[in-house]
C-alpha cells in the first residue's frame, strides 16, 4: 500500500536551490500550502518568499533553526520538507517525529552512523515514519528495470555492475561547495552514490551485508590539479581574474537563481558557492571503487568517477536465466560553465547534448531484445515530476498515480540501507578492510 500523500500545512527547512522544486510542487496542489520557512539566512529566505508570491501564494513567517520546535507548534505544521545541509537533517527530523509531524527528507537521510541511529530510535519510539526522497526510484526507465527483474525475466540476480560518470560541470560542482567536506555531506559515497545504492537495493530486493572499496582524490584538489596541469590559484571565482580563464569555474551572476540564493546572500553567512575545485583541504574523494555483497547472495561492483567528459551510467545485471543491461547517456559532452550555464543546476532542466537511453534483455539462448523505454532527460529522468505527484498528490485535473510510481516511496529503513553502503565504503577506504553491516549496530 502506498502512503497517503502529504498535505495540509507544510514547512520548508533549508532554502538552497533544491527547495524550489518542492515549493513549486506544493503551491501547485491547492490541498497543500507552504506556511513557514526555517532558514538562518534572511536574504535566502526572502528570495523564497518572493518565489511564493510569484506563484500566487502569500509570503510566510521565517524561523531560525533554534526556533524549529516553536515553528511546528505556532504554525500548526502538518508536515516538514527537509532540504538543508545533509549533516543537519537529523536535528529537524527527530523533533518533528516526536511532535507527530510527517517528515519528508531529501537524500541522504543523514551522514553518519550516530545520526542514523538517532533517527531510527526516534521512529521506533514514536511509531512515526519518514519518507526519503530517492527521486530516481520514480524514473520510468528505472521502474522498467525493477519490473523486468521482478517478473523473473533474468531469473535470480547473481551479480551487478554499476558505473556512474559525473562530468566536469556537474561532478566538479561537489568540489565547489559545502559537499567538499565529509563533515557536511559524508562525501560522494553518501551524498551522491546513496542514490545508486538505494536503486540496487530496491531493484534486486536485497540488503547489503559486506562492503569493501578504494577511494581517492585523483583529479580535483591542489595536489592532483597541479599534477595534471589544471590548477589555478584563486579561492573563489567571484572577483577573480584568473577564474575567468578556468574552465572549471562557475560565475554565479550568470544564473539568476544562483545569484539570488547564493551570491546575493553570502554577505550574511559568508558561504561561497563558487570555490576553486583545485583548492587545498578538499576532504572528499572523486574516484571510488566499491564491492558489495547482499543478503540474497548477489554481489555488486560499483565505480563512480566525478571528472568525466560525459555524464551517464551503465548497469548490468547477471542472472540465472540471462542478463539485463541499462545504458543512459544524460549528456554526450559538456562545454565549460564559463561558456554556457545551461543545465548547470542538475535536475532542473535537461543537460546539454543528451544521448541515448537503452534497456536490453539478453535471455540465455535467445536474441537480445531492446525493451521500449520512456525517458525525459529533464527532472532526473522524469522522476521529479512523478515523485511530486506521489508525495503530494496529483495536480488539479490529473488522476491520482495508481501505477508503479505509487509504490516507489522509500522510508527510514531504505534510507538507512543506502546510507550503510556509503558508511561502510568510507570506512573501508580508511582501513583497507572488508566492513560488515553488523558493525554499524543499527536498530533495525
Amino acid at each position: 500500500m502506498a502512503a497517503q500523500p502529504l498535505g495540509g500545512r507544510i514547512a520548508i527547512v533549508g532554502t538552497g536551490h533544491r527547495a524550489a522544486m518542492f515549493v513549486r510542487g506544493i503551491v501547485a496542489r491547492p490541498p497543500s500550502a507552504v506556511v513557514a520557512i526555517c532558514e538562518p539566512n534572511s536574504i535566502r529566505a526572502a528570495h523564497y518568499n518572493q518565489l511564493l508570491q510569484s506563484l500566487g501564494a502569500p509570503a510566510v513567517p521565517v524561523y531560525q533553526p533554534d526556533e524549529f520546535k516553536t515553528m511546528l507548534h505556532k504554525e500548526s505544521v502538518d508536515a516538514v520538507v527537509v532540504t538543508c545541509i545533509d549533516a543537519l537533517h537529523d536535528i529537524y527530523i527527530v523533533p518533528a517525529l516526536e511532535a507527530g509531524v510527517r517528515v519528508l527528507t531529501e537524500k541522504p537521510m543523514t551522514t553518519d552512523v550516530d545520526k542514523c541511529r538517532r533517527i531510527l530510535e526516534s521512529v521506533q519510539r514514536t511509531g512515526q515514519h519518514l519518507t526519503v526522497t530517492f527521486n530516481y526510484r520514480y524514473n520510468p526507465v528505472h521502474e522498467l528495470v525493477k519490473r523486468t527483474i521482478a517478473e523473473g525475466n533474468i531469473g535470480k540476480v547473481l551479480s551487478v555492475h554499476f558505473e556512474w560518470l559525473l562530468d566536469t560541470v556537474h561532478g566538479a560542482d561537489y568540489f565547489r561547495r559545502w559537499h567538499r567536506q565529509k563533515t557536511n555531506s559524508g562525501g560522494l559515497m553518501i551524498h551522491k552514490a546513496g542514490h545508486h545504492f538505494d536503486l540496487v537495493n530496491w531493484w534486486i530486493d536485497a540488503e547489503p551485508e559486506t562492503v569493501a572499496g578504494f577511494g581517492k582524490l585523483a583529479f580535483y584538489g591542489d595536489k592532483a590539479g597541479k599534477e595534471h596541469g589544471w590548477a589555478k590559484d584563486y579561492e573563489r571565482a567571484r572577483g577573480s581574474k584568473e577564474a575567468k580563464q578556468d574552465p572549471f569555474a562557475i560565475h554565479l551572476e550568470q544564473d539568476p537563481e544562483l545569484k539570488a540564493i547564493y551570491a546575493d546572500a553570502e554577505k550574511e553567512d559568508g558561504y561561497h558557492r563558487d570555490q576553486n575545485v583545485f583548492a587545498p583541504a578538499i576532504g572528499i574523494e572523486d574516484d571510488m571503487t566499491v564491492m558489495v555483497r547482499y543478503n540474497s547472495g548477489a554481489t555488486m561492483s560499483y565505480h563512480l568517477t566525478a571528472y568525466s567528459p560525459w555524464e551517464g551510467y551503465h548497469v548490468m545485471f547477471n542472472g540465472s536465466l540471462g542478463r539485463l543491461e541499462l545504458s543512459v547517456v544524460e549528456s554526450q559532452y559538456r562545454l565549460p560553465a564559463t561558456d554556457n550555464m545551461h543545465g548547470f543546476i542538475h535536475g532542473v532542466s535537461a543537460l546539454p547534448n543528451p544521448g541515448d537511453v537503452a534497456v536490453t534483455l539478453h535471455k540465455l539462448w535467445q536474441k537480445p531484445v531492446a525493451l521500449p523505454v520512456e525517458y525525459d532527460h529533464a527532472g532526473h529522468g522524469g522522476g521529479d515530476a512523478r515523485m511530486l505527484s506521489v508525495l503530494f498528490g496529483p495536480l488539479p485535473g490529473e488522476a491520482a498515480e495508481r501505477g508503479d510510481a505509487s509504490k516507489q516511496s522509500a522510508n527510514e529503513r531504505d534510507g538507512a540501507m543506502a546510507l550503510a553502503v556509503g558508511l561502510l565504503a568510507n570506512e573501508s577506504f580508511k582501513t583497507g578492510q572488508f566492513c560488515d553491516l553488523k558493525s554499524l549496530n543499527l536498530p533495525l
Side-chain angles (χ1 to χ4, degrees), residues 276-288:
N276 184 356
V277 300
F278 299 108
I282 289 176
I284 64 174
E285 301 85 5
D286 57 23
D287 193 301
M288 292 138 278

Side-chain angles (χ1 to χ4, degrees), residues 25-49:
I26 293 166
V27 171
R29 292 163 169 84
S32 301
V34 176
V35 298
I37 293 171
C38 184
E39 167 59 56
N41 189 300
S42 64
I43 298 171
R44 196 170 294 132
H47 171 75
Y48 267 83
N49 262 325

Side-chain angles (χ1 to χ4, degrees), residues 228-244:
H228 304 310
W230 289 110
K232 295 284 192 297
D233 187 19
Y234 64 92
E235 287 189 12
R236 47 87 56 98
R238 196 177 193 188
S240 168
K241 292 182 179 179
E242 194 167 13
K244 292 180 180 179

Side-chain angles (χ1 to χ4, degrees), residues 16-26 29 48 51 106 133 135 347 379-380 383-385 387-388 392:
H17 70 75
R18 186 62 177 163
M21 180 194 71
F22 291 104
V23 168
R24 291 188 175 97
I26 293 166
R29 292 163 169 84
Y48 267 83
L51 172 61
E106 262 288 71
T133 60
N135 54 359
H380 295 96
D384 286 346
M387 180 181 71
L388 290 172
F392 298 105

